[in-house]
Amino acid sequence: MTSQQSSKPRVGIFVDVQNIYYTCRESYGKNFDYNAFWRMIEQQYDIECAFAYAIYRGDEKQNQFQNILRAIGFEVKLKPFIQRRDGSAKGDWDVGITIDMLEQGKQLDKVILLSGDGDFALLLGHLKNQYNVPCDVYGADKLTAEVLKQSAEQFHLIDKQLLL
């Protein structure tokens, strides 16, 4: 940042990578365009922090994708993919995203969440009520929980300008 103070609001971006990947694939048959998203947000806000939460599987294609996210400006946080004995799998970042949004949100003018997971609705309400920090949510209409849409300051539909 330059020595000249910016007049743009300070924002933090929090991306539930798995959720956005599957949501965009199922809703549109396409991938999310992180570069276009970053450029759009950068025009309106000073991006103070940007986290992308992903699952580590040791897959080369995923490693390349994660490096692209880093090059854009995201801090990529990885959690190992866990295959249980019964065949089910675990690999979500809900608690990690929540902790980071609570910690970072105190210093921000707004938070932006990319996820359709309704579990985050309570968190958005807490940020607004405790810290007076509004949260915008980006998601696909049919795969974003109604309770999350209602908890958001604004719900932004992922549309063709944000798809590859």
Side-chain angles (χ1 to χ4, degrees), residues 1-6:
M1 189 146 150
T2 63
S3 60
Q4 197 174 353
Q5 199 64 0
S6 173

Side-chain angles (χ1 to χ4, degrees), residues 78-137:
L78 298 173
K79 179 183 274 191
F81 176 76
I82 297 168
Q83 186 77 43
R84 295 185 181 121
R85 285 191 194 127
D86 67 1
S88 64
K90 178 160 179 41
D92 72 59
W93 265 102
D94 291 6
V95 173
I97 293 170
T98 299
I99 291 169
D100 286 348
M101 284 178 72
L102 287 171
E103 289 296 313
Q104 299 293 325
K106 299 172 193 177
Q107 297 103 20
L108 300 170
D109 298 313
K110 178 177 276 199
V111 294
I112 296 174
L113 174 65
L114 282 75
S115 181
D117 189 335
D119 290 341
F120 291 118
L122 188 61
L123 169 63
L124 271 52
H126 184 80
L127 285 167
K128 182 68 176 161
N129 295 331
Q130 294 297 310
Y131 306 124
N132 198 30
V133 176
C135 184
D136 286 2
V137 171

Side-chain angles (χ1 to χ4, degrees), residues 13 15 31-45 47 65 68-69 71-74 112 114 138 158-164:
I13 302 168
V15 183
N31 288 319
F32 187 75
D33 188 341
Y34 286 91
N35 279 301
F37 173 77
W38 188 276
R39 285 191 303 270
M40 182 183 72
I41 298 302
E42 200 172 41
Q43 290 173 4
Q44 304 168 54
Y45 302 100
I47 301 171
F65 168 68
I68 290 168
L69 290 176
I72 292 169
F74 288 95
I112 296 174
L114 282 75
Y138 283 77
I158 294 172
D159 59 16
K160 63 182 178 186
Q161 74 178 11
L162 293 175
L163 296 169
L164 292 171

